[in-house]
Amino acid sequence: MNHIACCPAGACRPVLDAHRSVRRYRSVEPCSAQTEKRKTIRSRTEPGTPGSTVADVGEFGVIDRITTGWTQSSYTVLGPGDDAAIVTASDGRVVAATDMLVEGRHFRLDWSSPEHVGRKAIAQNAADIAAMGARCTGFLVALGCPSDTDVAVLDGLYRGLWGEAQRAGASIIGGDLVRTNDVVISITALGDLEGRSAVLRSGASVGDVVAVVGDLGRSAAGLDVIRAGISGHDGLVSSHRVPSPDYEQGRTAALAGATSLTDISDGLVADLGHVAVASSVTMDLDAHAFDIGADLRSAAQELGASALAWVLGGGEDHAFAATFSDAATVPAGWTVIGRVGAARSDGSATQRVTVDGVPFAGTAGWSSFGA
């Protein structure tokens, strides 16, 4: 994706400087250097139709559409409508995570519906909160879009955002609204540890077992199915468009005494590699421990791909991986896939994770600045 250059410092000013909005969402003019015409794949209605675009509806009309009619969770003291939101923090600590999706780089609106994109944006942030062993308490949503974006696209996005936020047990408490050349969604998720210690990446020890819960490889397989243009694998395509993390598994692992915990966003080998580096250990995985479903094997055969490679290197499933001191403490529903070993003095993060005793030969996972 082409990166968009930003204007010089001070050249971009909020359009509401003279009369600060009382809304939590604010509108900002785009950088003058952003002149590249946006893609035409974004759905739109016929020009001239009243109220058909964001520009037609206006900033506060859009804000009303995306905040009215939704119920705040019990964690919200004050939601959208003031200069900032207020959420409870009974633990005295707040877990925070943020992630961004950029049209053309992380999603395409000819491959996924706006609602799918909205659900995915919340899911990948909520999974990060769960991976600390915490509960989600609120989400801040910053959205950028062109002024000629059909309001139906925003309606769909926010149905997905609100729907997944509620599935995670929280709500959208505020955000920001700006004009951009492409659709950009940035989410900040907040969470509560409920008095427990956070489960960090740095806690794995030699002799621990490695376990996972949730589906692995399905999102990567679904993406390859979409790219290939083949049919008959709707379940895999759905897994790519809308991941469905079991957020409670983060708390379950924490309560069971997990020594380290992470969600699988970049890919199993890559994410376990981060744990191995943080914990100064190595990990060896058993290739035969993975339950590879028939639909995954069928798609791999049709595409000439490796189902195991999807499981080990595919990301965006937002399953969870953890280490436990003993197999007996692994919660029900989790699968033991390997063991933690002593650290070596050399090797990258992914080289610290082996499969059946040898380095994984495939792509370890997603890289933000990769191809």
Side-chain angles (χ1 to χ4, degrees), residues 42-44 109 114-115 149-158 183:
R42 192 176 297 107
S43 63
R44 63 177 75 180
L109 289 172
E115 186 168 351
T149 301
D150 189 338
V151 291
V153 173
L154 266 63
D155 289 344
L157 279 171
Y158 275 84
V183 177

Side-chain angles (χ1 to χ4, degrees), residues 142-195:
L143 173 69
C145 66
S147 59
D148 63 344
T149 301
D150 189 338
V151 291
V153 173
L154 266 63
D155 289 344
L157 279 171
Y158 275 84
R159 277 196 305 274
L161 290 163
W162 273 100
E164 193 64 24
Q166 291 177 332
R167 198 177 79 83
S171 55
I172 296 174
I173 58 174
D176 197 13
L177 180 64
V178 301
R179 195 176 79 191
T180 54
N181 281 358
D182 296 288
V183 177
V184 180
I185 309 167
S186 181
I187 309 289
T188 298
L190 306 176
D192 184 4
L193 287 164
E194 304 173 309

Side-chain angles (χ1 to χ4, degrees), residues 93-115:
R93 300 165 295 171
V94 176
V95 181
T98 190
D99 217 335
M100 181 183 294
L101 277 76
V102 178
E103 181 185 8
R105 177 61 172 166
H106 303 104
F107 66 89
R108 286 174 49 170
L109 289 172
D110 59 338
W111 284 1
S112 299
S113 73
E115 186 168 351

